[in-house]
């Protein structure tokens, strides 16, 4: 029995130490496609890889199309039945035939229009076009985009010259795809993404099978193709108005601002920013993740994420004097995102997901780092007190700004830190202490006020209880008492009262 109790207590201690040691842990198997194909999954694809997600998407789409066809056939049968019944009563209702024909024509037009809506993209109203024109970028921005587009086009043509005959076919395919996309701007962003993914797949297959291009040259060609077509399509497909990407961006930015108080110790980040080299790596990682928004090509945005991740690994390696692990990388990446608060983070993630070459997201280091970034953003959106090993009360106080964790003392800074930074942290610490003292005084004042009210109510209740138990009876005022001998009729016969006599010693 003693041995069993000892083992049980040891297991409990190990579990507690494990839960206290780290609040963030993602198994590497969770990064893979949940269908078990071996590729990396993505939260935007509900945990599937791009290939499995397209299969599931096509199944759902075919099911929806089948349901729409059944609905259209049912409407058609109802129309035919209504028309047959009207023909049987045509002789009796000849006077109202013209009105019936007009009503039937209107009804048929309405149903046909309804059926067409099932199989065609929703049209954009003139109001939306006016909004798009009103929100069009300035001429200077358009000129800059035009210059960049011309430069990319020239580079693409020079690159294709090395492919000779396949290069001409590739250029024709790209021009045809761009023309098709220009005519499909009224489609939803998911349908445009499907067109881009199909184009990538078809071109890659033709490069390998028809034109017999080596695999290493296929990858380079696909990178140049993606750069060419997405540079030209960027302003139409990045954060379009038909999606809620902008709303998600604002929500994530607001969430990160509310979590400004999170420290590296809370996330178990194995990075010591007091080391100058580590501090430089952290700054470079933040710069890279912010720079992602300035890129126009999905591959360039992925390159920024990869550079940021490599700086993180270097910072961890310098701090620990050993290679970093996956359990060290993800908390540090979360800390970098919280500290940098990258602009339009969700829009960039969605843009990469929709229009990047799928082979890059499914395999390789780019796909691994991108999947970790998606996990980091998902963790930030769901971050709670348990994840940071805090009590719910402290977490709520930090989130509302009523309190903040202890800042670094001025003596703990390295000698290279300027005096202004030290003074800033010292002032922040003083403000935090004053805030705590004020909160404590307010709480004590409220407690004193409550005690006084309770004491007054208690005294009042005791007095009322005594009055109810011993009620006061006020009697009428008595008449003044007469002299004791006033009724004695014989007092006139009494001798006068004795007077004291004083005898001198």
């Amino acid at each position: 029995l003693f041995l069993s109790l000892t083992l049980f207590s040891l297991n409990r201690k190990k579990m507690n130490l494990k839960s206290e040691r780290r609040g963030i842990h993602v198994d590497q198997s969770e990064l893979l496609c949940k269908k078990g194909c071996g590729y990396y999954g993505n939260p935007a694809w509900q945990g599937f890889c791009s290939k499995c997600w397209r299969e599931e998407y096509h199944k759902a789409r075919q099911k929806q199309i089948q349901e729409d066809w059944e609905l259209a056939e049912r409407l058609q049968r109802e129309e035919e039945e209504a028309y047959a019944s009207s023909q049987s009563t045509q002789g009796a209702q000849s006077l109202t035939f013209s009105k019936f024909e007009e009503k039937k024509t209107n009804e048929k037009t309405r149903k046909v229009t309804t059926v067409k809506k099932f199989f065609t993209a929703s049209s954009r109203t003139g109001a939306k076009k006016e909004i798009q024109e009103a929100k069009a970028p300035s001429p200077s921005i358009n000129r800059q985009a035009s210059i960049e587009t011309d430069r990319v086009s020239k580079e693409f043509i020079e690159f294709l010259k090395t492919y000779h005959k396949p290069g001409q076919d590739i250029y024709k395919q790209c021009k045809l795809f761009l023309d098709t996309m220009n005519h499909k701007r009224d489609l939803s962003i998911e349908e445009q993404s499907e067109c881009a993914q199909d184009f990538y797949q078809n071109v890659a297959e033709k490069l390998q099978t028809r034109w017999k291009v080596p695999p290493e040259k296929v990858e380079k060609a696909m990178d140049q193709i993606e750069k060419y077509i997405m540079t030209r399509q960027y302003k139409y497909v990045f954060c379009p108005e038909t999606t809620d990407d902008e709303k998600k961006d604002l929500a994530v930015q607001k969430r990160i601002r509310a979590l400004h108080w999170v420290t590296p110790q809370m996330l178990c980040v194995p990075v010591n920013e007091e080391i100058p080299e580590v501090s430089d790596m952290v700054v470079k990682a933040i710069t890279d993740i912010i720079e992602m928004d300035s890129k126009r090509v999905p591959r360039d945005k992925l390159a920024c994420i990869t550079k940021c991740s490599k700086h993180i690994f270097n910072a961890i390696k310098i701090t620990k004097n050993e290679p970093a692990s996956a359990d060290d990388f993800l908390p540090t990446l979360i800390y970098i995102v919280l500290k940098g608060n990258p602009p339009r983070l969700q829009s960039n993630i969605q843009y990469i997901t929709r229009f990047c070459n799928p082979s890059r997201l499914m395999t390789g280091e780019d796909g691994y780092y991108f999947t970790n970034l998606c996990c980091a953003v998902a963790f930030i959106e769901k971050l709670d007190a348990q994840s940071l090993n805090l009590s719910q009360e402290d977490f709520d106080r930090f989130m509302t700004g009523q309190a903040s964790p202890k800042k670094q003392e001025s003596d703990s800074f390295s000698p290279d830190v300027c005096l202004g930074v030290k003074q800033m942290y010292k002032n922040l610490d003083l403000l935090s202490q004053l805030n705590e003292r004020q909160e404590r005084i307010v709480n004590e004042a409220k407690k004193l006020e409550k005690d006084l009210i309770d004491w007054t109510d208690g005294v009042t209740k005791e007095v009322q209880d005594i009055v109810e138990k011993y009620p006061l009876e006020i009697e009428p005022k008595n008449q003044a008492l007469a002299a004791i001998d006033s009724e004695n009729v014989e007092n006139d016969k009494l001798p006068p009262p004795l007077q004291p006599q004083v005898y001198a010693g």
Side-chain angles (χ1 to χ4, degrees):
L1 179 61
F2 174 75
L3 181 61
S4 301
L5 292 174
T6 304
L7 291 174
F8 177 74
S9 62
L10 288 175
N11 290 331
R12 286 289 299 276
K13 289 181 179 179
K14 288 181 179 179
M15 291 175 64
N16 292 334
L17 287 174
K18 184 177 180 181
S19 61
E20 292 176 1
R21 183 183 67 85
R22 183 171 301 280
I24 304 170
H25 176 73
V26 175
D27 192 357
Q28 293 301 298
S29 61
E30 298 178 7
L31 302 178
L32 300 176
C33 176
K34 65 181 183 181
K35 202 171 182 179
C37 63
Y39 296 115
Y40 291 120
N42 193 323
W45 294 324
Q46 300 180 5
F48 294 103
C49 66
S50 62
K51 182 179 179 182
C52 298
W53 166 249
R54 292 184 69 189
E55 293 177 356
E56 296 294 327
Y57 177 77
H58 281 303
K59 290 180 181 178
R61 192 174 180 181
Q62 291 297 328
K63 182 179 179 182
Q64 183 65 35
I65 291 174
Q66 183 65 28
E67 292 177 355
D68 293 341
W69 273 112
E70 293 176 357
L71 178 60
E73 291 176 355
R74 182 171 60 83
L75 293 175
Q76 185 68 23
R77 287 196 301 270
E78 292 178 358
E79 182 183 358
E80 293 175 354
E81 292 174 359
Y83 181 76
S85 61
S86 64
Q87 289 292 332
S88 61
T89 58
Q90 184 176 3
Q93 299 179 355
S94 58
L95 296 177
T96 60
F97 179 76
S98 57
K99 294 184 179 180
F100 173 77
E101 282 294 324
E102 181 180 357
K103 181 178 179 181
K104 185 178 77 65
T105 303
N106 295 335
E107 184 69 17
K108 183 177 181 180
T109 304
R110 183 183 64 82
K111 290 184 178 180
V112 170
T113 304
T114 304
V115 173
K116 287 183 178 179
K117 288 182 180 179
F118 292 145
F119 306 103
T120 60
S122 58
S123 60
R124 301 290 180 266
T125 60
K128 288 188 176 180
K129 291 183 179 179
E130 293 177 359
I131 293 174
Q132 290 178 357
E133 293 175 357
K135 293 186 177 181
S138 61
S140 61
I141 297 177
N142 284 331
R143 284 195 298 270
Q144 183 179 359
S146 178
I147 293 172
E148 184 177 358
T149 301
D150 294 339
R151 180 181 58 81
V152 171
S153 299
K154 292 179 181 179
E155 292 177 356
F156 185 59
I157 293 173
E158 291 296 327
F159 172 78
L160 291 179
K161 288 181 180 179
T162 60
Y163 284 73
H164 305 292
K165 182 62 170 65
Q168 298 177 4
D169 294 338
I170 292 173
Y171 185 75
K172 291 180 181 178
Q173 293 288 332
C174 293
K175 292 294 291 182
L176 180 62
F177 171 75
L178 290 174
D179 293 339
T180 304
M181 291 294 290
N182 289 333
H183 289 92
K184 291 185 176 181
R185 287 178 187 170
D186 290 339
L187 297 179
S188 64
I189 195 64
E190 288 77 14
E191 292 173 329
Q192 295 184 48
S193 173
E194 282 291 314
C195 293
Q197 300 296 328
D198 291 338
F199 174 73
Y200 289 143
Q201 185 176 356
N202 294 333
V203 173
E205 290 178 356
K206 289 181 180 179
L207 285 171
Q208 293 175 357
T209 58
R210 181 186 299 180
W211 297 317
K212 306 298 181 182
V213 178
E216 62 275 6
K217 297 189 69 175
V218 170
E219 185 176 355
K220 292 181 180 179
M222 293 304 300
D223 291 340
Q224 291 296 325
I225 291 171
E226 178 188 322
K227 182 178 181 180
Y228 173 67
I229 64 174
M230 295 316 302
T231 301
R232 301 177 69 92
Q233 292 292 317
Y234 177 78
K235 62 181 180 180
Y236 304 113
V237 297
F238 181 83
C239 191
E241 295 181 356
T242 56
T243 64
D244 58 349
D245 293 347
E246 185 177 0
K247 183 178 179 181
K248 293 179 180 178
D249 290 334
L250 297 175
V252 171
Q253 279 196 339
K254 184 178 179 181
R255 176 69 172 173
I256 292 176
R257 289 195 191 104
L259 295 169
H260 66 91
W261 48 268
V262 177
T263 62
Q265 292 76 21
M266 294 178 181
L267 296 170
C268 301
V269 175
V271 169
N272 185 6
E273 295 187 61
E274 295 181 2
I275 302 175
E277 295 181 10
V278 175
S279 179
D280 292 341
M281 291 294 175
V282 171
V283 172
K284 290 180 180 178
I286 294 174
T287 304
D288 290 332
I289 198 69
I290 292 176
E291 189 181 0
M292 174 180 63
D293 185 60
S294 64
K295 304 298 181 181
R296 297 165 66 91
V297 183
R299 177 175 171 268
D300 294 340
K301 292 180 182 291
L302 277 180
C304 292
I305 299 173
T306 301
K307 288 191 294 183
C308 169
S309 302
K310 289 183 177 180
H311 288 314
I312 290 173
F313 274 109
N314 291 334
I316 298 173
K317 183 178 180 181
I318 295 172
T319 303
K320 298 179 66 177
N321 292 324
E322 62 181 15
S325 63
D327 287 340
D328 296 329
F329 169 67
L330 183 59
T332 312
L333 179 60
I334 294 171
Y335 173 67
I336 293 297
V337 174
L338 289 176
K339 197 169 183 179
N341 196 359
R344 300 193 292 185
L345 183 57
Q346 283 287 1
S347 293
N348 283 286
I349 290 176
Q350 292 296 330
Y351 175 69
I352 294 171
T353 301
R354 291 164 181 159
F355 296 100
C356 183
N357 187 358
S359 61
R360 285 195 171 273
L361 299 183
M362 294 165 61
T363 57
E365 62 177 5
D366 289 343
Y368 174 76
Y369 294 140
F370 179 72
T371 304
N372 275 275
L373 177 62
C374 295
C375 292
V377 175
F379 175 84
I380 290 172
E381 292 175 343
K382 300 177 182 179
L383 189 142
D384 54 7
Q386 185 179 1
S387 303
L388 300 176
N389 297 323
L390 295 174
S391 63
Q392 188 63 40
E393 181 181 359
D394 291 340
F395 182 80
D396 294 337
R397 291 173 63 194
F398 294 156
M399 288 295 291
T400 56
Q402 297 179 359
S404 62
K406 290 289 183 180
K407 301 294 182 182
Q408 299 182 15
E409 297 293 338
S410 58
D411 297 336
S412 63
F413 285 100
S414 62
D416 298 333
V417 179
C418 64
L419 296 176
V421 175
K422 294 181 180 180
Q423 186 64 35
M424 180 186 67
Y425 277 104
K426 184 177 180 180
N427 293 338
L428 289 174
D429 192 17
L430 290 175
L431 288 174
S432 178
Q433 293 178 8
L434 289 174
N435 190 17
E436 292 177 0
R437 290 176 60 186
Q438 181 184 5
E439 184 179 358
R440 187 164 56 251
I441 291 172
V442 170
N443 292 333
E444 292 293 336
K446 290 181 179 179
K447 183 180 178 182
L448 178 61
E449 182 182 6
K450 184 176 181 300
D451 292 341
L452 289 174
I453 294 174
D454 294 341
W455 178 78
T456 304
D457 294 341
V459 172
T460 303
K461 185 177 180 181
E462 290 181 0
V463 171
Q464 291 177 353
D465 293 341
I466 293 173
V467 170
E468 291 176 358
K469 188 175 182 180
Y470 305 103
L472 297 177
E473 296 181 0
I474 300 176
E475 297 179 354
K477 188 175 181 180
N478 296 329
Q479 296 179 356
L481 296 176
I484 297 177
D485 299 333
S486 61
E487 296 180 357
N488 191 352
V489 297
E490 298 178 356
N491 57 356
D492 294 338
K493 299 179 180 181
L494 293 175
L498 296 178
Q499 297 292 331
Q501 297 180 3
V502 180
Y503 293 92

